Amino acid sequence: MTTSHPTEPLAPAGAGLVAALDIVLPPWVDDEVRAAGTVLPDVEDRMRLALRLAARNHLEGSGGPFAAVVADPTTGQIHAAGVNLVLATGLSTMHAEVTALSFAQTRLGSWDLSAAGRPIELVVNWRPCVMCYGAVMWSGVQALTIAGEGNEVETLTGFDEGPMRDDWAQQFEHRGITVRTDILRDEALAVFAEYGNRNDVVVYNARRSSTTTAP
Ligand SMILES: [Zn+2]
């Protein structure tokens, strides 16, 4: 596995402030959602969609093997999907949870997804990192469904998930966000393993050195 900073030079200082962000969901994501079906009443089908997106995302070069789906858990209606876009956008915050929640909030017209007046679930192919922990908490979702938790993702992929608190799930529950885990856990680990077995990927944790590590 190759660990490095981006090789392209940063824009020179004094080039002027950036006034807009260009965050585009790759068109193949919509293709995958349509192929899976935009109404998925079975939670395993919703997770299967997230896993399919995660598995394809790193092959497409958009970012890491992470994806998220925003849905109505009572009907299975898919409101939005997101994938990790850190490499595609050059933005460190573009984790799958953030992109999926942002596209859902844009589509539903509110920064507070609970304002939709119906339950909203975020389906992710692993426990959120420390940044996405906050992003999920402030999003207005009422349910978080994950494939699993634990340090396997770090072991298999090399990504640093940050200093998560041990009671992270209880903190969600205290705020009315139901946490459900171990949905297609083995399948999720297989996606991470496939990613980790590549020898040409960039692990983009900023504080990592630019040294190359063994595959
Ligand atoms: Zn994250």
Side-chain angles (χ1 to χ4, degrees), residues 66 84 92-98 127-133 161:
F66 305 101
N84 182 295
S92 64
T93 59
M94 290 295 104
H95 289 193
E97 296 93 324
V98 172
R127 184 197 73 180
C129 76
V130 65
M131 175 184 74
C132 294
Y133 181 42
E161 298 299 297

Side-chain angles (χ1 to χ4, degrees), residues 44-137:
E44 291 196 351
D45 287 337
R46 297 196 290 278
M47 184 61 76
R48 201 166 281 114
L49 171 59
L51 293 175
R52 173 68 188 146
L53 295 173
R56 185 166 173 180
N57 194 54
H58 70 88
L59 296 175
E60 295 281 354
S62 305
F66 305 101
V69 173
V70 177
D72 181 334
T74 60
T75 64
Q77 176 72 45
I78 304 299
H79 294 306
V83 291
N84 182 295
L85 295 175
V86 170
L87 296 180
T89 61
L91 301 173
S92 64
T93 59
M94 290 295 104
H95 289 193
E97 296 93 324
V98 172
T99 64
L101 291 168
S102 298
F103 285 117
Q105 289 166 342
T106 299
R107 184 180 185 191
L108 298 176
S110 176
W111 49 266
D112 178 5
L113 290 173
S114 71
R118 51 187 183 265
I120 299 289
E121 169 196 47
L122 180 68
V123 180
V124 196
N125 64 317
W126 206 250
R127 184 197 73 180
C129 76
V130 65
M131 175 184 74
C132 294
Y133 181 42
V136 173
M137 197 171 281

Side-chain angles (χ1 to χ4, degrees), residues 148-159:
E149 58 179 302
N151 63 4
E152 291 93 332
V153 64
E154 294 176 309
T155 303
L156 291 169
T157 68
F159 287 110

